Amino acid sequence: MPKVKIAIIDNGVDETRLNYNMKSNICINPNGRCILDNQNLSNMNFMHGTICAAIIQNHFPDSEIYSLRILDENGKGEIECLEPALEWCLESGISVVNLSLGTTHFKDKTGIRKIINHYANQGICIIAATSNSKYVTYPASFSNVLGVAIRDKPYNEMMVKTKLGLDVLSPVEQELVIWGKNIVIQRSNSYATPFVTALVGKLFSEEICHNIVEAKCLLKKYYKEGIELIYESYEPDWICNAQIRNVTKKSKTSYYFNVVKESDKNEYDTIIINDLSSIESVIALNKHIVYLGEQNFEREFGDRFFWSPYKRVQTIKCCCSCSMDMEVPIILCESDNNVDEIFLLTELREAFSEKGYNFYAASLDAESVLYELEYIPIECLRERDIIRNFLSCEIHYKQSDGIMLGIKKGNICKQNELPFEIDVKIQIDKVEIISRLSVMDKDRRLLYKECTDISKMLIKEIADKVTYALTEEEDGE
C-alpha cells in the first residue's frame, strides 16, 4: 500500500536535525514558482517547520513528509505564496497538508478562502492552527479546514462555546529529540496542529477517509482519546462552484462563488435549493447542500456539508451562555422590500473596509450567506439576551469595528424593540422609481437624497458621512 503523502507548508524543514530524508524540499521563488530548496537551514534558530515535521514523524512514521517553505526564518511570509504551494501539492498527489500558520486580519479572509476552497474541493485535506492571539484565524476558521488549538489554553472554553472556527482541541508534545538531544517545545496551537495532521494521515492510510468532511467526522469516531472534537458548527463558506435550483436571485451583487449550469454534472461541489420537494434526489448526487427554505430539515451527513437557516439558529442559541462587552457603533439599515438590501450592505462594508474598518454586516435574509454576509434569523433577533451574547462574541473574536444590520420594514416594528441601541440609522423608502435616502445619527440628519438609483458612489458618500459622525468626538478629544 502506498504511503500517505503529507506536506508541511511552513518555514522549511532541516533534515539534518531530524535524521530523516524528506521526499522533497520546495520553496517559492520571487516569481511565485516552486523550485528545489537548496537553502541551508541548519543555522536557523526558529525551527518551526522542523518541529512540526518531528511531531508528525513521531506519531505517523509510515508517512512521506514533504516540505514547502513559504515563510522566512522569523515565521513571516506572503499570502500569495500559499496558492503555488497548494498547486504543487495537488500536482504531486499530496493528500494531507499541515498549515501551522495563519492570519487574523479581516482583509486577508476573502483571498485565502478562495484559495482554500479550490484545493479542498480537489481533495486536499488541510489542517491549520488557530492563532494564539485568541482571534478568529484564516484559514483555520473555514469550514473546508480542520482548525486546531491546544487543549489547555485558558481561552479555549469560550472559543468552543462561540463555535468560531475551532474543530479540534489537541494535546501537544512537550519533549522531542532533535539532533540527538531532548528539547522542550512551546505549548502552542502551531505544535498541536501536526499531532492532528498525523491522526488524519492515519485515517487516509486506512482508506476510510477521502476529504475534509469525512476527516472531521471520523476523528470523532476513532480518536476520542487525547483530543476533543467540537460540536459541529459551520457556515456555508466552503462553496467553490455551485448549482442553484429554484432560487430567485435577490441582488445585483455577485455571489462569492461560481455558478454552473445543471447540465455540467461534474463541475460543481454544492447544490443550493429553496424547498425540500426534491431533497432526496439532491442528496443522491453526493454534493454539499445549502438549503435556504424555512422548513426544518434535520439529517446527519458524514461525507458532506449541509447548511440551513435552522442550523444557524442552533449555532446562535448555543452561544447564549457567552457574553462580552459590545462597545462598537451599530448601524441600522432599514429599507422597503423593493430596495436591494444586499447590495447596500456589501458595498457599505467594502467602503468601510477601504477606510480600514472591519464592519460586521448582517441581514435577516437567509440568502445573504451567498454574498459573504452574516445571517441573523428574525426569531433570534427577538431574543434580546441570546442575540446580544452571540453578537458580542462574534465582534470580539472577529475583531469587528462595528455592526451593520439590514432589515426590511415591518420585520421590527419599532426601533426600541431591537436588543441594542442604534448609533446611526440609514433609511431608504422607495416610491415608484424614486428612492428617498435618509441617514441619521442620534441627534441630527447626516444626509438626505432623492435619487433613482442607490449607486456605489452614493454608498461611499454614506460611508464618509457616517465615519465622520462616529469619529468626530474622538477627533475632538
Side-chain angles (χ1 to χ4, degrees), residues 322-335:
C322 308
S323 181
M324 307 188 81
D325 291 334
M326 196 165 67
E327 300 298 326
V328 298
I330 298 176
I331 302 171
L332 179 68
C333 302
E334 185 179 43
S335 61

PDB file of all heavy atoms in Angstrom, residues 322-335:
ATOM      1  N   CYS A 322     -22.541  32.834  26.615  1.00  0.00           N
ATOM      2  CA  CYS A 322     -21.357  33.683  26.484  1.00  0.00           C
ATOM      3  C   CYS A 322     -21.771  35.147  26.448  1.00  0.00           C
ATOM      4  O   CYS A 322     -22.790  35.495  25.877  1.00  0.00           O
ATOM      5  CB  CYS A 322     -20.603  33.337  25.196  1.00  0.00           C
ATOM      6  SG  CYS A 322     -20.218  31.582  25.018  1.00  0.00           S
ATOM      7  N   SER A 323     -20.946  35.989  27.031  1.00  0.00           N
ATOM      8  CA  SER A 323     -21.239  37.418  26.986  1.00  0.00           C
ATOM      9  C   SER A 323     -19.948  38.203  27.114  1.00  0.00           C
ATOM     10  O   SER A 323     -19.105  37.893  27.952  1.00  0.00           O
ATOM     11  CB  SER A 323     -22.194  37.809  28.122  1.00  0.00           C
ATOM     12  OG  SER A 323     -22.490  39.174  28.064  1.00  0.00           O
ATOM     13  N   MET A 324     -19.796  39.211  26.259  1.00  0.00           N
ATOM     14  CA  MET A 324     -18.621  40.071  26.299  1.00  0.00           C
ATOM     15  C   MET A 324     -19.084  41.506  26.069  1.00  0.00           C
ATOM     16  O   MET A 324     -20.219  41.758  25.674  1.00  0.00           O
ATOM     17  CB  MET A 324     -17.605  39.638  25.237  1.00  0.00           C
ATOM     18  CG  MET A 324     -17.251  38.160  25.310  1.00  0.00           C
ATOM     19  SD  MET A 324     -15.909  37.687  24.221  1.00  0.00           S
ATOM     20  CE  MET A 324     -14.517  38.198  25.222  1.00  0.00           C
ATOM     21  N   ASP A 325     -18.190  42.446  26.308  1.00  0.00           N
ATOM     22  CA  ASP A 325     -18.524  43.846  26.065  1.00  0.00           C
ATOM     23  C   ASP A 325     -18.772  44.072  24.574  1.00  0.00           C
ATOM     24  O   ASP A 325     -18.135  43.461  23.727  1.00  0.00           O
ATOM     25  CB  ASP A 325     -17.386  44.747  26.540  1.00  0.00           C
ATOM     26  CG  ASP A 325     -17.248  44.743  28.050  1.00  0.00           C
ATOM     27  OD1 ASP A 325     -18.259  44.482  28.726  1.00  0.00           O
ATOM     28  OD2 ASP A 325     -16.131  44.992  28.541  1.00  0.00           O
ATOM     29  N   MET A 326     -19.704  44.955  24.246  1.00  0.00           N
ATOM     30  CA  MET A 326     -20.021  45.251  22.852  1.00  0.00           C
ATOM     31  C   MET A 326     -19.964  46.761  22.656  1.00  0.00           C
ATOM     32  O   MET A 326     -20.950  47.425  22.365  1.00  0.00           O
ATOM     33  CB  MET A 326     -21.393  44.689  22.479  1.00  0.00           C
ATOM     34  CG  MET A 326     -21.627  44.611  20.980  1.00  0.00           C
ATOM     35  SD  MET A 326     -23.028  43.560  20.522  1.00  0.00           S
ATOM     36  CE  MET A 326     -24.402  44.472  21.168  1.00  0.00           C
ATOM     37  N   GLU A 327     -18.781  47.319  22.818  1.00  0.00           N
ATOM     38  CA  GLU A 327     -18.583  48.761  22.720  1.00  0.00           C
ATOM     39  C   GLU A 327     -18.203  49.155  21.301  1.00  0.00           C
ATOM     40  O   GLU A 327     -17.100  49.655  21.044  1.00  0.00           O
ATOM     41  CB  GLU A 327     -17.513  49.208  23.718  1.00  0.00           C
ATOM     42  CG  GLU A 327     -17.844  48.908  25.169  1.00  0.00           C
ATOM     43  CD  GLU A 327     -19.097  49.634  25.637  1.00  0.00           C
ATOM     44  OE1 GLU A 327     -19.314  50.764  25.162  1.00  0.00           O
ATOM     45  OE2 GLU A 327     -19.841  49.077  26.448  1.00  0.00           O
ATOM     46  N   VAL A 328     -19.086  48.895  20.347  1.00  0.00           N
ATOM     47  CA  VAL A 328     -18.851  49.289  18.958  1.00  0.00           C
ATOM     48  C   VAL A 328     -20.100  49.989  18.437  1.00  0.00           C
ATOM     49  O   VAL A 328     -21.208  49.749  18.924  1.00  0.00           O
ATOM     50  CB  VAL A 328     -18.523  48.064  18.059  1.00  0.00           C
ATOM     51  CG1 VAL A 328     -17.248  47.387  18.512  1.00  0.00           C
ATOM     52  CG2 VAL A 328     -19.690  47.083  18.005  1.00  0.00           C
ATOM     53  N   PRO A 329     -19.953  50.856  17.437  1.00  0.00           N
ATOM     54  CA  PRO A 329     -21.137  51.513  16.866  1.00  0.00           C
ATOM     55  C   PRO A 329     -22.011  50.526  16.109  1.00  0.00           C
ATOM     56  O   PRO A 329     -21.514  49.571  15.495  1.00  0.00           O
ATOM     57  CB  PRO A 329     -20.540  52.555  15.921  1.00  0.00           C
ATOM     58  CG  PRO A 329     -19.170  52.070  15.610  1.00  0.00           C
ATOM     59  CD  PRO A 329     -18.702  51.347  16.837  1.00  0.00           C
ATOM     60  N   ILE A 330     -23.314  50.766  16.147  1.00  0.00           N
ATOM     61  CA  ILE A 330     -24.277  49.905  15.462  1.00  0.00           C
ATOM     62  C   ILE A 330     -25.070  50.752  14.470  1.00  0.00           C
ATOM     63  O   ILE A 330     -25.649  51.778  14.824  1.00  0.00           O
ATOM     64  CB  ILE A 330     -25.219  49.218  16.467  1.00  0.00           C
ATOM     65  CG1 ILE A 330     -24.402  48.321  17.410  1.00  0.00           C
ATOM     66  CG2 ILE A 330     -26.267  48.393  15.734  1.00  0.00           C
ATOM     67  CD1 ILE A 330     -25.204  47.669  18.503  1.00  0.00           C
ATOM     68  N   ILE A 331     -25.076  50.293  13.225  1.00  0.00           N
ATOM     69  CA  ILE A 331     -25.772  50.983  12.138  1.00  0.00           C
ATOM     70  C   ILE A 331     -26.965  50.139  11.710  1.00  0.00           C
ATOM     71  O   ILE A 331     -26.805  48.955  11.373  1.00  0.00           O
ATOM     72  CB  ILE A 331     -24.843  51.219  10.935  1.00  0.00           C
ATOM     73  CG1 ILE A 331     -23.614  52.023  11.357  1.00  0.00           C
ATOM     74  CG2 ILE A 331     -25.580  51.914   9.805  1.00  0.00           C
ATOM     75  CD1 ILE A 331     -22.546  52.118  10.277  1.00  0.00           C
ATOM     76  N   LEU A 332     -28.137  50.726  11.717  1.00  0.00           N
ATOM     77  CA  LEU A 332     -29.342  50.045  11.249  1.00  0.00           C
ATOM     78  C   LEU A 332     -29.656  50.513   9.828  1.00  0.00           C
ATOM     79  O   LEU A 332     -29.768  51.712   9.578  1.00  0.00           O
ATOM     80  CB  LEU A 332     -30.520  50.342  12.169  1.00  0.00           C
ATOM     81  CG  LEU A 332     -31.859  49.697  11.781  1.00  0.00           C
ATOM     82  CD1 LEU A 332     -31.788  48.184  11.950  1.00  0.00           C
ATOM     83  CD2 LEU A 332     -33.004  50.282  12.606  1.00  0.00           C
ATOM     84  N   CYS A 333     -29.771  49.563   8.906  1.00  0.00           N
ATOM     85  CA  CYS A 333     -30.130  49.874   7.515  1.00  0.00           C
ATOM     86  C   CYS A 333     -31.544  49.353   7.260  1.00  0.00           C
ATOM     87  O   CYS A 333     -31.737  48.146   7.067  1.00  0.00           O
ATOM     88  CB  CYS A 333     -29.138  49.231   6.545  1.00  0.00           C
ATOM     89  SG  CYS A 333     -27.429  49.713   6.794  1.00  0.00           S
ATOM     90  N   GLU A 334     -32.518  50.241   7.285  1.00  0.00           N
ATOM     91  CA  GLU A 334     -33.916  49.858   7.121  1.00  0.00           C
ATOM     92  C   GLU A 334     -34.402  50.303   5.751  1.00  0.00           C
ATOM     93  O   GLU A 334     -34.228  51.451   5.360  1.00  0.00           O
ATOM     94  CB  GLU A 334     -34.773  50.496   8.216  1.00  0.00           C
ATOM     95  CG  GLU A 334     -36.216  50.045   8.185  1.00  0.00           C
ATOM     96  CD  GLU A 334     -37.040  50.678   9.294  1.00  0.00           C
ATOM     97  OE1 GLU A 334     -36.874  51.900   9.528  1.00  0.00           O
ATOM     98  OE2 GLU A 334     -37.825  49.972   9.921  1.00  0.00           O
ATOM     99  N   SER A 335     -35.013  49.377   5.015  1.00  0.00           N
ATOM    100  CA  SER A 335     -35.414  49.703   3.642  1.00  0.00           C
ATOM    101  C   SER A 335     -36.710  49.003   3.266  1.00  0.00           C
ATOM    102  O   SER A 335     -37.128  48.033   3.908  1.00  0.00           O
ATOM    103  CB  SER A 335     -34.312  49.297   2.658  1.00  0.00           C
ATOM    104  OG  SER A 335     -34.075  47.896   2.724  1.00  0.00           O
TER     105      SER A 335
END
